[in-house]
Amino acid sequence: MTQNHSHFLRVPGSKWGDESAWIADVATQLAAGAPSVTVLINGGEVTWEDARQSVRAGRLVITIADSGRTADLLAAGLRADPTDARAKELIASGLVQAVDLTAGTIALTTIIETIFAKESIRSDLQ
C-alpha cells in the first residue's frame, strides 16, 4: 500500500488496454446496482476501449469537450461534426454526453446529480 492508494487490482494482460474490460467490470461490481458514470478527459488509443467497455456495461460516458484527443472527437461527434468511426459507434449507444471544459465543475456535477436522481427514481419504481 502507498499513502494515497489503499487497494490495487492486478489483472491479466501484457499490453496497455488489456485492463479496460476489468475496469468496467470492477466499477459495475463496486456500484452494486447504484448508478455510476465514466468521466472521459482527453485520452488516447486505450481510452476508446475504456469508453467502449463502459458503454457495454450500460454506463453513461461523460466526455469533457476541449480537454483533448479522444474526448474532443466524441464531443465533435455529438455535435454532428465529422468524426472518428469509433465515436459514431459509441454515440449511437445513446450513452455518451459532453460537458464543455469551460463550463467547470458545476456543470459536470449537475449532470451527474441529475443522472443519479433519475436512476434513483427509476429503481424506486421497480
Side-chain angles (χ1 to χ4, degrees):
M1 282 196 277
T2 68
Q3 179 180 353
N4 296 317
H5 299 87
S6 61
H7 295 76
F8 292 88
L9 177 66
R10 293 183 60 184
V11 300
S14 59
K15 64 184 183 335
W16 288 109
D18 288 346
E19 73 283 358
S20 295
W22 289 91
I23 292 170
D25 290 344
V26 167
T28 298
Q29 292 301 313
L30 290 173
S36 63
V37 300
T38 296
V39 178
L40 192 152
I41 302 171
N42 193 309
E45 284 304 311
V46 172
T47 305
W48 290 106
E49 183 61 18
D50 290 339
R52 191 178 77 70
Q53 291 294 333
S54 287
V55 165
R56 176 195 55 83
R59 186 172 298 109
L60 178 69
V61 175
I62 302 172
T63 186
I64 307 300
D66 296 324
S67 66
R69 306 181 311 160
T70 304
D72 288 351
L73 289 171
L74 280 167
L78 288 165
R79 292 189 307 267
D81 291 343
T83 190
D84 189 290
R86 295 170 292 186
K88 290 177 184 176
E89 180 182 338
L90 290 167
I91 291 164
S93 73
L95 291 172
V96 179
Q97 291 185 17
V99 175
D100 233 354
L101 180 63
T102 58
T105 58
I106 293 173
L108 179 60
T109 301
T110 301
I111 286 175
I112 292 172
E113 287 175 346
T114 300
I115 291 163
F116 286 3
K118 285 179 187 175
E119 290 297 320
S120 178
I121 291 168
R122 205 174 298 157
S123 65
D124 287 347
L125 294 173
Q126 293 178 349

